[in-house]
Amino acid sequence: MIEPGGDQRRTTPPTAPASPADPGDSPAVGRPPRDRYVDWLRAFSLLVVVVWHWAFTILQWGPDGPSPTSPLGFTSGLWILTWLLQVLPLFFYVGGYVHLLSWNRACEGGMGIGTFVWRRIRGLAIPTLALAGTWIVLGALVTWAFGIRWMNRVVLLVISPLWFIGVYLVLIALLPVALWLHRRFDVLILIWLAGAALVVDVLRLRYGYEAVGWLNMIIVWGLAHQAGFFYARVVALPRRFDIAILWTGLFALFGLVYSDIYPGSMVGVPGDKLSNMAPPTFVIVALLIFQIGLVEVLRPAMERLLDHPRWQRVNETVNRFALPLFLFHTTGMAIWVALTWWLAGSRPGSLVRPDLLWWLERPLAVAGALVCTLPVIMLFGRKWARRR
């Protein structure tokens, strides 16, 4: 139907994604046509995280070994790009929608909530723990055999991106509670979670209770995940509401960032007193609203693009190898860094600034890390690739 003002309401509910947000589900017979845009949002958010790590990690060498920094600490104004490139809110949002959809299918098949949750936890936890355990054991052996005391820092750098999988596992475990809250309180639970995140920030930033801030690891990401339960309703909104959501989030971001309370970057910047990510602040709630509006505004153009066979193949390939790519991308990057240091005959100095040459080398950094990651996936990660 056509709404007043020329807005077209999308009355057809979104269809199922090609595959679940995480492993552990097998394809179901009679599954409705897949929602390629949901697949694309998942693939895009994953690729942004991986490419960000490959391209924009600067390793500095100090007395205790390597430590990471990024060009955000050296380049003025670059932080504005993180409003688009910090896509974890979008990932949790899409994950919430897919979890709800997968649970509805499981219910129709007679599966209990306990079995459903356990299968999803097992499918994600086993490869994550296997990778972390392998690196910890390897680090301990290298330290013991060669006396390399900074090996523990290398291990930490490689496995540190797995923190968000830990949060994701907690949200899966809390799925029964999230579903009950959704049925009982509907949209009100989103308002409560947003308010709770703001209260935590007040206690932390106004009254100095720093430890309380870590509650937002569950509150903020839980809000993004819970918002995914409303995905179908958001898709059905008239076009003008998509634009309104985008501008609401954007204005909220500007207001919060330029209040001189929160930093402008949506990722941690070495040297900043406060990070919007560790732990997440209320700014991430505004970022979530902005990104939900943005992806809906872009939906018509992206759906037309994803109808092309070539884009479909790219979309399907990335989604198929999503989990192993994320798990092993820092392992591949570590191999690439070791190779470049070995070929150069020296390791980096105490301070590496991103000059023009460094920026020109970014495509090589991404390509090199990718080339080193693919064999690792082929050797160890094929069992966790989704079957089509």
Side-chain angles (χ1 to χ4, degrees), residues 34-58:
R34 72 188 192 221
D35 186 341
R36 292 195 184 101
Y37 193 46
V38 170
D39 281 346
W40 170 251
L41 292 176
R42 184 170 50 229
F44 173 77
S45 57
L46 172 86
L47 286 177
V48 168
V49 172
V50 170
V51 172
W52 180 277
H53 288 159
W54 284 347
F56 299 126
T57 299
I58 300 175

PDB file of all heavy atoms in Angstrom, residues 34-58:
ATOM      1  N   ARG A  34      15.641 -17.265   0.881  1.00  0.00           N
ATOM      2  CA  ARG A  34      16.547 -16.616   1.802  1.00  0.00           C
ATOM      3  C   ARG A  34      16.559 -15.097   1.622  1.00  0.00           C
ATOM      4  O   ARG A  34      16.279 -14.575   0.542  1.00  0.00           O
ATOM      5  CB  ARG A  34      17.947 -17.174   1.644  1.00  0.00           C
ATOM      6  CG  ARG A  34      18.654 -16.759   0.364  1.00  0.00           C
ATOM      7  CD  ARG A  34      19.938 -17.547   0.257  1.00  0.00           C
ATOM      8  NE  ARG A  34      20.806 -17.024  -0.776  1.00  0.00           N
ATOM      9  CZ  ARG A  34      21.485 -17.813  -1.591  1.00  0.00           C
ATOM     10  NH1 ARG A  34      21.346 -19.113  -1.521  1.00  0.00           N
ATOM     11  NH2 ARG A  34      22.311 -17.299  -2.482  1.00  0.00           N
ATOM     12  N   ASP A  35      16.873 -14.429   2.688  1.00  0.00           N
ATOM     13  CA  ASP A  35      17.002 -12.972   2.686  1.00  0.00           C
ATOM     14  C   ASP A  35      18.456 -12.643   2.413  1.00  0.00           C
ATOM     15  O   ASP A  35      19.300 -12.709   3.299  1.00  0.00           O
ATOM     16  CB  ASP A  35      16.547 -12.416   4.036  1.00  0.00           C
ATOM     17  CG  ASP A  35      16.524 -10.894   4.067  1.00  0.00           C
ATOM     18  OD1 ASP A  35      17.179 -10.278   3.206  1.00  0.00           O
ATOM     19  OD2 ASP A  35      15.863 -10.329   4.947  1.00  0.00           O
ATOM     20  N   ARG A  36      18.748 -12.313   1.160  1.00  0.00           N
ATOM     21  CA  ARG A  36      20.144 -12.064   0.783  1.00  0.00           C
ATOM     22  C   ARG A  36      20.699 -10.838   1.492  1.00  0.00           C
ATOM     23  O   ARG A  36      21.895 -10.751   1.724  1.00  0.00           O
ATOM     24  CB  ARG A  36      20.257 -11.881  -0.734  1.00  0.00           C
ATOM     25  CG  ARG A  36      19.968 -13.141  -1.538  1.00  0.00           C
ATOM     26  CD  ARG A  36      20.447 -12.985  -2.970  1.00  0.00           C
ATOM     27  NE  ARG A  36      20.093 -14.147  -3.762  1.00  0.00           N
ATOM     28  CZ  ARG A  36      19.071 -14.202  -4.592  1.00  0.00           C
ATOM     29  NH1 ARG A  36      18.290 -13.139  -4.730  1.00  0.00           N
ATOM     30  NH2 ARG A  36      18.812 -15.285  -5.293  1.00  0.00           N
ATOM     31  N   TYR A  37      19.838  -9.885   1.818  1.00  0.00           N
ATOM     32  CA  TYR A  37      20.335  -8.672   2.459  1.00  0.00           C
ATOM     33  C   TYR A  37      20.819  -8.957   3.875  1.00  0.00           C
ATOM     34  O   TYR A  37      21.824  -8.385   4.319  1.00  0.00           O
ATOM     35  CB  TYR A  37      19.246  -7.606   2.462  1.00  0.00           C
ATOM     36  CG  TYR A  37      19.756  -6.219   2.811  1.00  0.00           C
ATOM     37  CD1 TYR A  37      20.917  -5.707   2.240  1.00  0.00           C
ATOM     38  CD2 TYR A  37      19.071  -5.410   3.711  1.00  0.00           C
ATOM     39  CE1 TYR A  37      21.385  -4.441   2.540  1.00  0.00           C
ATOM     40  CE2 TYR A  37      19.522  -4.134   4.021  1.00  0.00           C
ATOM     41  CZ  TYR A  37      20.680  -3.653   3.433  1.00  0.00           C
ATOM     42  OH  TYR A  37      21.139  -2.396   3.747  1.00  0.00           O
ATOM     43  N   VAL A  38      20.119  -9.832   4.594  1.00  0.00           N
ATOM     44  CA  VAL A  38      20.588 -10.239   5.924  1.00  0.00           C
ATOM     45  C   VAL A  38      21.946 -10.919   5.803  1.00  0.00           C
ATOM     46  O   VAL A  38      22.868 -10.657   6.585  1.00  0.00           O
ATOM     47  CB  VAL A  38      19.569 -11.172   6.602  1.00  0.00           C
ATOM     48  CG1 VAL A  38      20.152 -11.783   7.867  1.00  0.00           C
ATOM     49  CG2 VAL A  38      18.296 -10.408   6.945  1.00  0.00           C
ATOM     50  N   ASP A  39      22.075 -11.815   4.826  1.00  0.00           N
ATOM     51  CA  ASP A  39      23.371 -12.456   4.591  1.00  0.00           C
ATOM     52  C   ASP A  39      24.449 -11.415   4.307  1.00  0.00           C
ATOM     53  O   ASP A  39      25.577 -11.517   4.792  1.00  0.00           O
ATOM     54  CB  ASP A  39      23.280 -13.421   3.410  1.00  0.00           C
ATOM     55  CG  ASP A  39      22.645 -14.741   3.782  1.00  0.00           C
ATOM     56  OD1 ASP A  39      22.512 -15.017   4.983  1.00  0.00           O
ATOM     57  OD2 ASP A  39      22.273 -15.494   2.865  1.00  0.00           O
ATOM     58  N   TRP A  40      24.096 -10.426   3.485  1.00  0.00           N
ATOM     59  CA  TRP A  40      25.077  -9.403   3.122  1.00  0.00           C
ATOM     60  C   TRP A  40      25.484  -8.581   4.332  1.00  0.00           C
ATOM     61  O   TRP A  40      26.675  -8.272   4.497  1.00  0.00           O
ATOM     62  CB  TRP A  40      24.525  -8.501   2.035  1.00  0.00           C
ATOM     63  CG  TRP A  40      25.390  -7.307   1.787  1.00  0.00           C
ATOM     64  CD1 TRP A  40      25.137  -6.020   2.095  1.00  0.00           C
ATOM     65  CD2 TRP A  40      26.708  -7.319   1.221  1.00  0.00           C
ATOM     66  NE1 TRP A  40      26.195  -5.211   1.747  1.00  0.00           N
ATOM     67  CE2 TRP A  40      27.179  -5.985   1.201  1.00  0.00           C
ATOM     68  CE3 TRP A  40      27.526  -8.329   0.708  1.00  0.00           C
ATOM     69  CZ2 TRP A  40      28.422  -5.642   0.702  1.00  0.00           C
ATOM     70  CZ3 TRP A  40      28.776  -7.979   0.216  1.00  0.00           C
ATOM     71  CH2 TRP A  40      29.205  -6.651   0.211  1.00  0.00           C
ATOM     72  N   LEU A  41      24.537  -8.200   5.182  1.00  0.00           N
ATOM     73  CA  LEU A  41      24.868  -7.424   6.371  1.00  0.00           C
ATOM     74  C   LEU A  41      25.824  -8.199   7.269  1.00  0.00           C
ATOM     75  O   LEU A  41      26.765  -7.626   7.838  1.00  0.00           O
ATOM     76  CB  LEU A  41      23.593  -7.057   7.134  1.00  0.00           C
ATOM     77  CG  LEU A  41      22.655  -6.070   6.441  1.00  0.00           C
ATOM     78  CD1 LEU A  41      21.393  -5.875   7.267  1.00  0.00           C
ATOM     79  CD2 LEU A  41      23.344  -4.740   6.191  1.00  0.00           C
ATOM     80  N   ARG A  42      25.589  -9.496   7.402  1.00  0.00           N
ATOM     81  CA  ARG A  42      26.482 -10.319   8.210  1.00  0.00           C
ATOM     82  C   ARG A  42      27.858 -10.400   7.561  1.00  0.00           C
ATOM     83  O   ARG A  42      28.889 -10.275   8.232  1.00  0.00           O
ATOM     84  CB  ARG A  42      25.873 -11.705   8.398  1.00  0.00           C
ATOM     85  CG  ARG A  42      26.668 -12.617   9.309  1.00  0.00           C
ATOM     86  CD  ARG A  42      25.897 -13.877   9.662  1.00  0.00           C
ATOM     87  NE  ARG A  42      25.349 -14.521   8.483  1.00  0.00           N
ATOM     88  CZ  ARG A  42      24.088 -14.919   8.386  1.00  0.00           C
ATOM     89  NH1 ARG A  42      23.255 -14.699   9.380  1.00  0.00           N
ATOM     90  NH2 ARG A  42      23.654 -15.535   7.306  1.00  0.00           N
ATOM     91  N   ALA A  43      27.880 -10.646   6.243  1.00  0.00           N
ATOM     92  CA  ALA A  43      29.159 -10.750   5.536  1.00  0.00           C
ATOM     93  C   ALA A  43      29.916  -9.432   5.584  1.00  0.00           C
ATOM     94  O   ALA A  43      31.128  -9.401   5.824  1.00  0.00           O
ATOM     95  CB  ALA A  43      28.913 -11.174   4.087  1.00  0.00           C
ATOM     96  N   PHE A  44      29.204  -8.334   5.360  1.00  0.00           N
ATOM     97  CA  PHE A  44      29.847  -7.020   5.354  1.00  0.00           C
ATOM     98  C   PHE A  44      30.441  -6.693   6.720  1.00  0.00           C
ATOM     99  O   PHE A  44      31.582  -6.238   6.824  1.00  0.00           O
ATOM    100  CB  PHE A  44      28.822  -5.958   4.953  1.00  0.00           C
ATOM    101  CG  PHE A  44      29.335  -4.546   5.085  1.00  0.00           C
ATOM    102  CD1 PHE A  44      30.197  -4.012   4.142  1.00  0.00           C
ATOM    103  CD2 PHE A  44      28.962  -3.749   6.160  1.00  0.00           C
ATOM    104  CE1 PHE A  44      30.678  -2.715   4.267  1.00  0.00           C
ATOM    105  CE2 PHE A  44      29.434  -2.456   6.295  1.00  0.00           C
ATOM    106  CZ  PHE A  44      30.295  -1.932   5.344  1.00  0.00           C
ATOM    107  N   SER A  45      29.666  -6.911   7.792  1.00  0.00           N
ATOM    108  CA  SER A  45      30.167  -6.592   9.129  1.00  0.00           C
ATOM    109  C   SER A  45      31.379  -7.430   9.480  1.00  0.00           C
ATOM    110  O   SER A  45      32.343  -6.939  10.086  1.00  0.00           O
ATOM    111  CB  SER A  45      29.064  -6.764  10.181  1.00  0.00           C
ATOM    112  OG  SER A  45      28.540  -8.079  10.160  1.00  0.00           O
ATOM    113  N   LEU A  46      31.373  -8.697   9.071  1.00  0.00           N
ATOM    114  CA  LEU A  46      32.532  -9.551   9.318  1.00  0.00           C
ATOM    115  C   LEU A  46      33.749  -9.065   8.559  1.00  0.00           C
ATOM    116  O   LEU A  46      34.842  -8.950   9.113  1.00  0.00           O
ATOM    117  CB  LEU A  46      32.201 -10.987   8.925  1.00  0.00           C
ATOM    118  CG  LEU A  46      33.408 -11.924   8.953  1.00  0.00           C
ATOM    119  CD1 LEU A  46      33.616 -12.470  10.347  1.00  0.00           C
ATOM    120  CD2 LEU A  46      33.264 -13.036   7.936  1.00  0.00           C
ATOM    121  N   LEU A  47      33.575  -8.751   7.273  1.00  0.00           N
ATOM    122  CA  LEU A  47      34.710  -8.327   6.452  1.00  0.00           C
ATOM    123  C   LEU A  47      35.297  -7.009   6.938  1.00  0.00           C
ATOM    124  O   LEU A  47      36.512  -6.815   6.900  1.00  0.00           O
ATOM    125  CB  LEU A  47      34.276  -8.194   4.995  1.00  0.00           C
ATOM    126  CG  LEU A  47      34.062  -9.501   4.239  1.00  0.00           C
ATOM    127  CD1 LEU A  47      33.560  -9.224   2.825  1.00  0.00           C
ATOM    128  CD2 LEU A  47      35.337 -10.327   4.188  1.00  0.00           C
ATOM    129  N   VAL A  48      34.450  -6.106   7.404  1.00  0.00           N
ATOM    130  CA  VAL A  48      34.953  -4.829   7.919  1.00  0.00           C
ATOM    131  C   VAL A  48      35.861  -5.074   9.120  1.00  0.00           C
ATOM    132  O   VAL A  48      36.943  -4.475   9.234  1.00  0.00           O
ATOM    133  CB  VAL A  48      33.789  -3.896   8.285  1.00  0.00           C
ATOM    134  CG1 VAL A  48      34.297  -2.702   9.095  1.00  0.00           C
ATOM    135  CG2 VAL A  48      33.090  -3.398   7.026  1.00  0.00           C
ATOM    136  N   VAL A  49      35.441  -5.950  10.041  1.00  0.00           N
ATOM    137  CA  VAL A  49      36.258  -6.243  11.219  1.00  0.00           C
ATOM    138  C   VAL A  49      37.601  -6.844  10.804  1.00  0.00           C
ATOM    139  O   VAL A  49      38.670  -6.439  11.284  1.00  0.00           O
ATOM    140  CB  VAL A  49      35.509  -7.200  12.166  1.00  0.00           C
ATOM    141  CG1 VAL A  49      36.420  -7.678  13.295  1.00  0.00           C
ATOM    142  CG2 VAL A  49      34.273  -6.519  12.755  1.00  0.00           C
ATOM    143  N   VAL A  50      37.549  -7.826   9.901  1.00  0.00           N
ATOM    144  CA  VAL A  50      38.772  -8.516   9.479  1.00  0.00           C
ATOM    145  C   VAL A  50      39.717  -7.560   8.752  1.00  0.00           C
ATOM    146  O   VAL A  50      40.920  -7.493   9.064  1.00  0.00           O
ATOM    147  CB  VAL A  50      38.408  -9.712   8.573  1.00  0.00           C
ATOM    148  CG1 VAL A  50      39.662 -10.297   7.917  1.00  0.00           C
ATOM    149  CG2 VAL A  50      37.693 -10.787   9.389  1.00  0.00           C
ATOM    150  N   VAL A  51      39.189  -6.818   7.781  1.00  0.00           N
ATOM    151  CA  VAL A  51      40.040  -5.907   7.006  1.00  0.00           C
ATOM    152  C   VAL A  51      40.581  -4.791   7.886  1.00  0.00           C
ATOM    153  O   VAL A  51      41.728  -4.338   7.716  1.00  0.00           O
ATOM    154  CB  VAL A  51      39.262  -5.337   5.800  1.00  0.00           C
ATOM    155  CG1 VAL A  51      40.069  -4.252   5.097  1.00  0.00           C
ATOM    156  CG2 VAL A  51      38.922  -6.453   4.819  1.00  0.00           C
ATOM    157  N   TRP A  52      39.784  -4.315   8.850  1.00  0.00           N
ATOM    158  CA  TRP A  52      40.282  -3.287   9.784  1.00  0.00           C
ATOM    159  C   TRP A  52      41.505  -3.790  10.528  1.00  0.00           C
ATOM    160  O   TRP A  52      42.508  -3.090  10.651  1.00  0.00           O
ATOM    161  CB  TRP A  52      39.176  -2.900  10.756  1.00  0.00           C
ATOM    162  CG  TRP A  52      39.604  -1.864  11.741  1.00  0.00           C
ATOM    163  CD1 TRP A  52      40.290  -2.064  12.920  1.00  0.00           C
ATOM    164  CD2 TRP A  52      39.419  -0.436  11.652  1.00  0.00           C
ATOM    165  NE1 TRP A  52      40.530  -0.876  13.555  1.00  0.00           N
ATOM    166  CE2 TRP A  52      40.007   0.136  12.803  1.00  0.00           C
ATOM    167  CE3 TRP A  52      38.803   0.390  10.712  1.00  0.00           C
ATOM    168  CZ2 TRP A  52      39.994   1.512  13.023  1.00  0.00           C
ATOM    169  CZ3 TRP A  52      38.795   1.757  10.941  1.00  0.00           C
ATOM    170  CH2 TRP A  52      39.378   2.308  12.085  1.00  0.00           C
ATOM    171  N   HIS A  53      41.426  -5.018  11.042  1.00  0.00           N
ATOM    172  CA  HIS A  53      42.575  -5.574  11.765  1.00  0.00           C
ATOM    173  C   HIS A  53      43.779  -5.731  10.846  1.00  0.00           C
ATOM    174  O   HIS A  53      44.912  -5.424  11.233  1.00  0.00           O
ATOM    175  CB  HIS A  53      42.209  -6.928  12.372  1.00  0.00           C
ATOM    176  CG  HIS A  53      41.275  -6.824  13.534  1.00  0.00           C
ATOM    177  ND1 HIS A  53      40.491  -7.874  13.963  1.00  0.00           N
ATOM    178  CD2 HIS A  53      40.984  -5.792  14.361  1.00  0.00           C
ATOM    179  CE1 HIS A  53      39.767  -7.497  14.998  1.00  0.00           C
ATOM    180  NE2 HIS A  53      40.063  -6.237  15.268  1.00  0.00           N
ATOM    181  N   TRP A  54      43.553  -6.214   9.640  1.00  0.00           N
ATOM    182  CA  TRP A  54      44.664  -6.425   8.719  1.00  0.00           C
ATOM    183  C   TRP A  54      45.305  -5.119   8.275  1.00  0.00           C
ATOM    184  O   TRP A  54      46.523  -5.016   8.198  1.00  0.00           O
ATOM    185  CB  TRP A  54      44.166  -7.182   7.478  1.00  0.00           C
ATOM    186  CG  TRP A  54      43.937  -8.637   7.697  1.00  0.00           C
ATOM    187  CD1 TRP A  54      44.334  -9.389   8.759  1.00  0.00           C
ATOM    188  CD2 TRP A  54      43.253  -9.529   6.808  1.00  0.00           C
ATOM    189  NE1 TRP A  54      43.942 -10.693   8.604  1.00  0.00           N
ATOM    190  CE2 TRP A  54      43.280 -10.815   7.412  1.00  0.00           C
ATOM    191  CE3 TRP A  54      42.620  -9.378   5.578  1.00  0.00           C
ATOM    192  CZ2 TRP A  54      42.686 -11.933   6.805  1.00  0.00           C
ATOM    193  CZ3 TRP A  54      42.039 -10.493   4.981  1.00  0.00           C
ATOM    194  CH2 TRP A  54      42.078 -11.743   5.585  1.00  0.00           C
ATOM    195  N   ALA A  55      44.493  -4.132   7.977  1.00  0.00           N
ATOM    196  CA  ALA A  55      45.006  -2.910   7.359  1.00  0.00           C
ATOM    197  C   ALA A  55      45.487  -1.881   8.366  1.00  0.00           C
ATOM    198  O   ALA A  55      46.466  -1.173   8.119  1.00  0.00           O
ATOM    199  CB  ALA A  55      43.934  -2.291   6.455  1.00  0.00           C
ATOM    200  N   PHE A  56      44.822  -1.780   9.522  1.00  0.00           N
ATOM    201  CA  PHE A  56      45.047  -0.626  10.397  1.00  0.00           C
ATOM    202  C   PHE A  56      45.648  -0.969  11.763  1.00  0.00           C
ATOM    203  O   PHE A  56      45.594  -0.156  12.675  1.00  0.00           O
ATOM    204  CB  PHE A  56      43.736   0.141  10.589  1.00  0.00           C
ATOM    205  CG  PHE A  56      43.181   0.671   9.303  1.00  0.00           C
ATOM    206  CD1 PHE A  56      41.883   0.390   8.918  1.00  0.00           C
ATOM    207  CD2 PHE A  56      43.964   1.432   8.458  1.00  0.00           C
ATOM    208  CE1 PHE A  56      41.367   0.866   7.734  1.00  0.00           C
ATOM    209  CE2 PHE A  56      43.462   1.917   7.263  1.00  0.00           C
ATOM    210  CZ  PHE A  56      42.156   1.630   6.899  1.00  0.00           C
ATOM    211  N   THR A  57      46.191  -2.168  11.883  1.00  0.00           N
ATOM    212  CA  THR A  57      46.929  -2.499  13.101  1.00  0.00           C
ATOM    213  C   THR A  57      48.398  -2.107  12.928  1.00  0.00           C
ATOM    214  O   THR A  57      49.062  -2.558  11.993  1.00  0.00           O
ATOM    215  CB  THR A  57      46.829  -3.998  13.428  1.00  0.00           C
ATOM    216  OG1 THR A  57      45.462  -4.341  13.650  1.00  0.00           O
ATOM    217  CG2 THR A  57      47.638  -4.326  14.673  1.00  0.00           C
ATOM    218  N   ILE A  58      48.871  -1.243  13.807  1.00  0.00           N
ATOM    219  CA  ILE A  58      50.280  -0.843  13.806  1.00  0.00           C
ATOM    220  C   ILE A  58      50.937  -1.491  15.022  1.00  0.00           C
ATOM    221  O   ILE A  58      50.513  -1.269  16.155  1.00  0.00           O
ATOM    222  CB  ILE A  58      50.429   0.687  13.891  1.00  0.00           C
ATOM    223  CG1 ILE A  58      49.743   1.363  12.702  1.00  0.00           C
ATOM    224  CG2 ILE A  58      51.904   1.073  13.938  1.00  0.00           C
ATOM    225  CD1 ILE A  58      49.749   2.875  12.791  1.00  0.00           C
TER     226      ILE A  58
END
